[in-house]
Amino acid sequence: DAGVTQSPTHLIKTRGQQVTLRCSPKSGHDTVSWYQQALGQGPQFIFQYYEEEERQRGNFPDRFSGHQFPNYSSELNVNALLLGDSALYLCASSLLGHTASGNTIYFGEGSWLTVV
Amino acid sequence: SQQGEEDPQALSIQEGENATMNCSYKTSINNLQWYRQNSGRGLVHLILIRSNEREKHSGRLRVTLDTSKKSSSLLITASRAADTASYFCATLNTGNQFYFGTGTSLTVIP
């Protein structure tokens, strides 16, 4: 049973560039959420996708956008990169239809983004 | 912010001792989950406790939840050097949003 997989694991971009990160959820899961984790901080919720639509969004600018495909995989896009976007980007999957009280969230290993 | 807070921020203990870390949160929740993160790696799910549960055990882990105080604690018994990591609590609120605390950095000295 494959867990949550993310790619790439590491990448370096220049200020102003655009980046796309990819995530495949755990088998059987239909909901993907993205988190940004700066060094020494807890993960911050970016947004959540379910049924190919953005369902919820955290306090992130429109430069952060995403997409979910029919196979439940997802992409996170960040435009006009800033130095402050350097972080570990984590993808999490869950089953939205599952009882909320038992809804376990599983995380991938993350994508390290460095903006120079 | 709906984000929770863990304390202490950092904890250093000797191998074999117990480690206790606490988490406080602000909103009504469906469940609370604890995660472990080794440096630079992804988050590993440890244990989930539902809002109607007060205590849960899993191996050397014991989690308590007090919804009246909006707090939870994670106890790791008989700690090992391999337990060295950061530990985060995360709450799933009634809007199905998932928020993390600030984390406790645990160092277990062999």
Side-chain angles (χ1 to χ4, degrees):
Chain A
D1 178 19
V4 182
T5 58
Q6 292 187 242
S7 64
T9 54
H10 295 82
L11 71 167
I12 300 173
K13 291 285 188 177
T14 305
R15 269 184 304 175
Q17 284 189 316
Q18 180 263 345
V19 68
T20 298
L21 307 177
R22 295 175 178 82
C23 171
S24 293
K26 181 178 169 65
S27 179
H29 281 185
D30 58 9
T31 302
V32 172
S33 303
W34 287 91
Y35 293 80
Q36 180 195 65
Q37 187 178 22
L39 209 58
Q41 303 293 318
Q44 299 286 325
F45 175 72
I46 303 175
F47 43 51
Q48 181 185 82
Y49 276 84
Y50 171 68
E51 291 186 337
E52 302 179 47
E53 290 187 8
E54 183 183 294
R55 297 290 175 162
Q56 303 192 55
R57 189 179 183 94
N59 189 24
F60 279 80
D62 291 345
R63 298 186 297 109
F64 289 77
S65 63
H67 190 77
Q68 186 178 35
F69 299 94
N71 67 352
Y72 307 119
S73 67
S74 176
E75 289 182 349
L76 164 66
N77 301 292
V78 187
N79 295 322
L81 284 167
L82 304 174
L83 295 179
D85 295 332
S86 295
L88 177 66
Y89 288 84
L90 293 162
C91 171
S93 79
S94 58
L95 187 60
L96 196 64
H98 192 67
T99 306
S101 64
N103 201 359
T104 300
I105 316 292
Y106 293 93
F107 284 82
E109 287 294 319
S111 294
W112 275 106
L113 170 65
T114 302
V115 182
V116 297
Chain B
S1 167
Q2 298 181 43
Q3 194 169 23
E5 298 281 335
E6 278 110 333
D7 81 273
Q9 288 188 328
L11 178 61
S12 184
I13 59 173
Q14 296 289 329
E15 201 166 31
E17 293 181 337
N18 295 341
T20 300
M21 49 205 92
N22 304 295
C23 165
S24 60
Y25 57 92
K26 297 180 181 180
T27 64
S28 296
I29 63 170
N30 282 323
N31 67 45
L32 185 144
Q33 304 182 37
W34 284 90
Y35 288 83
R36 166 200 169 111
Q37 186 178 39
N38 286 67
S39 181
R41 304 294 300 278
L43 291 151
V44 175
H45 184 262
L46 296 176
I47 195 166
L48 177 155
I49 185 165
R50 292 178 166 84
S51 59
N52 61 353
E53 297 175 316
R54 292 296 168 258
E55 187 171 315
K56 204 159 183 181
H57 297 255
S58 176
R60 293 185 296 114
L61 305 179
R62 173 177 168 257
V63 169
T64 62
L65 178 65
D66 187 336
T67 52
S68 65
K69 295 180 179 177
K70 291 187 168 55
S71 68
S72 173
S73 68
L74 171 67
L75 168 67
I76 304 174
T77 60
S79 64
R80 305 166 182 168
D83 294 330
T84 295
S86 291
Y87 292 83
F88 293 91
C89 71
T91 52
L92 183 69
N93 67 16
T94 51
N96 207 34
Q97 294 172 324
F98 201 52
Y99 288 93
F100 281 86
T102 50
T104 293
S105 176
L106 172 66
T107 301
V108 181
I109 303 166

